[in-house]
Amino acid sequence: MLLALMLLASCGADRNIKQGEKYLALGEYFDAANEFKQAYQKTEAKNRDKRGRIAGKMAYCYDKSLQTPKAIAAYRNMQRYNTARTFDRLALAQQLMKNGSYKEAAQEFQAVLDSFPTNKLAQAGLQAAQQAPAIRELGSRYTVKKMEVFNSRRAEYSPMLFGDNHDQLYFTSTRNEAQGDELSGITGTKPADIFVSTKDDKGKWGKPEAVTGGLNTAYDEGACSFSVDGREMYLTQCVTDPTYPRYAQLMVSNRSDAAWAKATEVKLTGDTLSSYAHPAISPDGLWLYFASDMPGGKGGLDLWRVRITPGGYGGVENLGAPINTEGDEEFPTFRPNGDLYFSSNGHPGLGGLDVFIAKVGKDGHYHLSHPGFPLNSQGDDFGLTFEGAYNRGFFSSNRGDGRGWDHIYSFENPEIVQTVKGWVYEMEGYELPAAQVYVVGDDGTNEKLSVRSDGSFTKTLDEGVSYLFLATCRGYLNHKEEVTALLNPKESRDTTLQFALANISAPTLIDNIFYDFDKATLRDSSKTALDKLVTLLNENPNITIELSAHADYKGSADYNKRLSQRRAESVVAYLIAHGIAADRLTPKGYGKERPKTIKKKTTEKYPWLKEGDVLSEQFVKALKDEKQQEICNQLNRRTEFTVLRTTYGMFDEKGNLKNPPKPKAQEDEGEKSQDDGINIIFD
């Protein structure tokens, strides 16, 4: 009977091992670990070799499913049964680092180096184990706080702020509210979905809700990132196939009417046996960064990037050294200033995945730094998101969680930051998201900024540098502003810039032009508006304009026309006196001939008006409210300009272009344009 029981146990262990191998082949580490654990328990202690081999499978699965204490115990059992190989000791050392057991980790790393002195992961690990206690003791200016409002009894990770006011936080969660009925064989929890929390007017974050609109599925979705204009969400998805290993893939979802549509795959290569995950868009919107284990990397997961073009995606590029290592580099993200943040277990850190910062130096190469403790810990720290230009926001970490589940934390480093936030919009109209903003600095800065859907943009300034911002949009006149960042500022400073662009094909109101009653004499209060017009004409030297003055219906038509003509001539005289060539200006008084046509923007201030209303004498007199009539008369009494030509001064007497562009072959090295074909120089 005893022999029969032993045979049954042995057969049961083999069945568990066989089932565990099936789960392992599919990447379902949680389910595989449970099968191997049962096999281990059914195997006699005297069968040391078999027990040691099963312990190795358990250790690997616990390692992959982030169950650090169980992984350490399983690796120790391998040592007890003399089945641990050199790379098992390396894995044990890395798990000991995640447990904060730095002294024991150093011993295991050293044992690996005794056998393989050139192993780079062991070299970096030993350095990390020796330095970690001092790094923790030193600390940093970062403060970190666990955000209970976002967290559940399951995992939350990869937060990403969204919205012009950073009042929405998207993140990945395996909480019970996620879609799907089955538990994941990878984590033992529900497949991950993307959730969102919204901050109210009082600054309080609301209860997270699953994102609606077809984005979430019964599969795993997570690690999202947004395009610069906020219209696209890039994310990672892992589909389930009972006969096929799980490979992560990049997806993209479009936003329409405040809802995210069903995601479609972002196909970058023909490789179907590699994972593509953790997308991030560069601040200029030109590059898609991601993590992948595709061939051609340095080992494990590497960071890659691909160019985003109007026709699709360009060829993939490995970021190479010093960013990528033989270990894993994952979860790239950007600050608006262009600094690349990512997580790695291949660089010396405090254990697990540590956050590293990659800055591009004046030599054009990346330079890495470690932000220290407490942003980094002995656990996995990753997935940062920033509140605009400030060094504060949220990130995820599994520090202190024995189950390996990630949670969301806030972080802040009180840096002194100087920023410019600008808005590009049409005069008398709305934002211009199709606009482009070029920035030139006296430090050599020459770049193009992307404009968000609300017409806004943000630029972080370097101390003591003078910048020129030029806003352009097809069909509109240009406008520029200049800002000089303070040298050695004592506190952070925000500068707000307004770029109101004049429409080339429609009359543009010159607001705040005032004349003496019944006269054409300009009041002093008009000078501010007129000086802005002088600036606009200087910024756009190739245009000519008609300067028109208009009146309401009161008084005779002849009188109103003569008065408005004199007023238009007064404005032209002011412009000429301030350096504008007379042949660029045509004064025209229309009197009451051209009543104002209402634009949509005006209806926001006066909701009793409709877009397209023409404020004719008949329309105004039909209004029963005298105050409304007077408002209409005020709107009719206006000064406007209309662009007549956009080629003034561009051609010589023979009709040839005065300053034709140089052929590319004639450009010298100093004049070659940047990658995006833009190299603006302002006098």
Side-chain angles (χ1 to χ4, degrees):
M1 289 179 62
L2 180 62
L3 179 61
L5 289 172
M6 291 172 61
L7 288 173
L8 285 173
S10 177
C11 291
D14 289 341
R15 283 196 296 270
N16 289 127
I17 293 174
K18 187 176 181 179
Q19 185 61 43
E21 294 286 5
K22 289 182 179 179
Y23 286 135
L24 185 58
L26 296 174
E28 297 179 344
Y29 304 113
F30 185 88
D31 288 348
N34 287 336
E35 295 292 337
F36 292 136
K37 179 182 178 181
Q38 294 181 53
Y40 183 85
Q41 293 172 339
K42 293 176 182 178
T43 302
E44 287 186 299
K46 66 180 182 180
N47 194 343
R48 297 176 61 83
D49 183 66
K50 186 174 183 179
R51 264 207 158 195
R53 285 186 284 108
I54 297 173
K57 297 179 185 295
M58 291 169 58
Y60 179 77
C61 292
Y62 286 137
D63 190 330
K64 287 293 185 180
S65 58
L66 307 179
Q67 300 180 73
T68 297
K70 291 182 179 180
I72 292 174
Y75 282 124
R76 289 299 193 196
N77 282 335
M78 292 184 70
Q79 291 182 325
R80 186 154 61 97
Y81 291 117
N82 294 319
T83 59
R85 293 152 295 182
T86 301
F87 62 82
D88 295 317
R89 301 196 73 170
L90 177 61
L92 170 59
Q94 292 170 333
Q95 291 297 303
L96 289 168
M97 288 290 293
K98 290 188 68 173
N99 201 48
S101 304
Y102 297 128
K103 185 175 180 180
E104 296 176 67
Q107 294 172 352
E108 296 298 329
F109 283 127
Q110 186 60 61
V112 174
L113 290 172
D114 289 343
S115 299
F116 295 96
T118 60
N119 188 294
K120 293 184 179 180
L121 287 176
Q123 291 173 348
L126 179 59
Q127 179 185 348
Q130 293 169 340
Q131 295 177 349
I135 293 174
R136 288 182 64 95
E137 181 69 24
L138 179 63
S140 69
R141 288 169 55 87
Y142 282 92
T143 55
V144 168
K145 179 182 177 182
K146 193 173 183 179
M147 297 297 293
E148 300 297 346
V149 66
F150 305 131
N151 296 317
S152 69
R153 295 183 178 181
R154 296 294 184 265
E156 284 78 31
Y157 59 94
S158 291
M160 186 59 60
L161 285 164
F162 182 73
D164 300 324
N165 298 315
H166 314 292
D167 55 0
Q168 298 175 57
L169 186 75
Y170 286 75
F171 59 89
T172 309
S173 178
T174 61
R175 61 185 63 199
N176 292 333
E177 292 82 359
Q179 292 187 31
D181 298 322
E182 298 182 1
L183 298 182
S184 168
I186 301 176
T187 62
T189 63
K190 276 197 162 188
D193 275 352
I194 298 177
F195 287 74
V196 62
S197 174
T198 302
K199 186 164 56 175
D200 62 22
D201 295 338
K202 297 180 180 179
K204 182 179 179 181
W205 288 100
K207 179 182 177 181
E209 302 286 347
V211 174
T212 59
L215 177 71
N216 289 320
T217 70
Y219 303 132
D220 279 293
E221 285 90 21
C224 67
S225 177
F226 300 100
S227 60
V228 175
D229 61 12
R231 297 175 181 175
E232 294 177 316
M233 175 195 293
Y234 290 83
L235 64 148
T236 308
Q237 185 182 77
C238 296
V239 298
T240 302
D241 188 326
T243 62
Y244 200 71
R246 294 189 181 202
Y247 295 103
Q249 57 190 13
L250 297 179
M251 310 289 288
V252 63
S253 169
N254 294 313
R255 187 168 183 259
S256 177
D257 297 329
W260 294 101
K262 182 179 179 181
T264 57
E265 185 179 1
V266 175
K267 199 71 175 175
L268 300 179
T269 72
D271 182 354
T272 61
L273 299 177
S274 299
S275 288
Y276 302 82
H278 313 156
I281 305 297
S282 61
D284 58 12
L286 299 178
W287 295 93
L288 169 62
Y289 286 68
F290 60 96
S292 178
D293 58 357
M294 74 175 84
K298 295 181 69 66
L301 289 169
D302 273 17
L303 294 189
W304 303 71
R305 72 174 186 173
V306 61
R307 187 88 176 199
I308 302 173
T309 71
Y313 302 96
V316 296
E317 301 177 8
N318 188 282
L319 296 192
I323 290 177
N324 290 321
T325 68
E326 285 76 7
D328 293 326
E329 282 69 47
E330 311 175 61
F331 300 99
T333 190
F334 286 91
R335 282 187 69 179
N337 65 0
D339 292 346
L340 171 64
Y341 285 65
F342 67 97
S343 293
S344 171
N345 60 16
H347 293 286
L350 297 179
L353 291 171
D354 268 27
V355 175
F356 290 85
I357 307 170
K359 296 176 179 284
V360 177
K362 293 183 178 180
D363 57 1
H365 299 296
Y366 282 114
H367 298 268
L368 302 189
S369 62
H370 184 275
F373 179 83
L375 185 66
N376 284 314
S377 69
Q378 76 275 11
D380 292 319
D381 307 294
F382 61 97
L384 279 74
T385 183
F386 294 90
E387 185 182 333
Y390 297 98
N391 198 356
R392 62 174 181 251
F394 303 96
F395 74 111
S396 41
S397 175
N398 59 19
R399 60 185 70 187
D401 192 299
R403 297 163 298 185
W405 289 347
D406 306 301
H407 302 290
I408 294 176
Y409 292 76
S410 66
F411 72 90
E412 182 172 8
N413 184 347
E415 292 182 330
I416 296 176
V417 180
Q418 298 182 75
T419 62
V420 161
K421 185 164 187 178
W423 279 268
V424 187
Y425 56 94
E426 180 184 3
M427 287 183 178
E428 288 191 278
Y430 292 94
E431 60 275 358
L432 293 172
Q436 294 179 333
V437 177
Y438 300 95
V439 184
V440 176
D442 59 8
D443 64 340
T445 298
N446 194 339
E447 60 184 287
K448 179 174 66 175
L449 303 181
S450 295
V451 175
R452 292 185 281 268
S453 58
D454 66 341
S456 69
F457 66 88
T458 303
K459 168 68 178 174
T460 302
L461 311 181
D462 291 331
E463 292 184 16
V465 177
S466 293
Y467 296 89
L468 187 147
F469 294 81
L470 175 71
T472 70
C473 188
R474 184 180 296 275
Y476 294 85
L477 299 181
N478 299 336
H479 180 61
K480 63 183 178 183
E481 295 281 349
E482 296 184 35
V483 174
T484 298
L486 297 177
L487 188 63
N488 300 320
K490 295 182 179 180
E491 59 184 8
S492 295
R493 185 177 76 152
D494 293 327
T495 301
T496 300
L497 300 179
Q498 303 282 351
F499 294 83
L501 305 189
N503 194 321
I504 291 176
S505 58
T508 299
L509 176 69
I510 309 172
D511 211 359
N512 297 319
I513 298 293
F514 305 103
Y515 306 91
D516 289 339
F517 177 72
D518 202 28
K519 295 181 180 179
T521 307
L522 287 166
R523 294 181 182 177
D524 289 341
S525 53
S526 303
K527 291 183 178 180
T528 299
L530 291 173
D531 289 342
K532 289 182 178 179
L533 182 56
V534 171
T535 300
L536 183 146
L537 290 166
N538 285 328
E539 291 173 349
N540 298 270
N542 300 120
I543 68 168
T544 65
I545 65 170
E546 176 187 274
L547 202 295
S548 59
H550 303 265
D552 57 31
Y553 67 85
K554 296 178 181 180
S556 69
D558 182 64
Y559 173 80
N560 281 335
K561 191 166 186 178
R562 285 188 283 107
L563 178 61
S564 59
Q565 178 67 30
R566 295 201 311 273
R567 287 180 169 178
E569 291 171 354
S570 293
V571 174
V572 166
Y574 184 94
L575 300 177
I576 293 173
H578 287 76
I580 305 301
D583 58 349
R584 296 179 61 193
L585 308 169
T586 301
K588 184 69 174 180
Y590 286 100
K592 62 178 183 180
E593 291 178 2
R594 295 188 179 183
K596 185 175 180 65
T597 300
I598 297 301
K599 293 185 177 181
K600 186 177 179 181
K601 188 72 173 177
T602 306
T603 65
E604 295 179 2
K605 186 176 182 180
Y606 306 114
W608 43 273
L609 291 172
K610 299 190 301 295
E611 183 180 9
D613 282 346
V614 179
L615 305 185
S616 63
E617 180 176 353
Q618 182 181 2
F619 179 91
V620 176
K621 287 182 175 180
L623 296 172
K624 296 180 180 180
D625 190 320
E626 291 185 0
K627 290 184 178 179
Q628 292 180 354
Q629 290 185 7
E630 179 53 30
I631 289 172
C632 289
N633 288 328
Q634 290 175 359
L635 292 173
N636 273 328
R637 297 192 295 267
R638 67 198 190 278
T639 304
E640 296 175 333
F641 72 86
T642 304
V643 175
L644 300 178
R645 290 173 54 202
T646 59
T647 58
Y648 175 84
M650 293 178 62
F651 300 94
D652 60 22
E653 295 177 354
K654 297 180 180 179
N656 298 318
L657 195 63
K658 287 184 178 180
N659 297 300
K662 294 180 181 179
K664 290 186 177 180
Q666 296 180 10
E667 291 181 350
D668 57 39
E669 287 296 317
E671 294 177 331
K672 286 185 179 179
S673 61
Q674 298 178 345
D675 291 342
D676 59 4
I678 298 164
N679 189 23
I680 301 175
I681 300 174
F682 298 101
D683 294 332

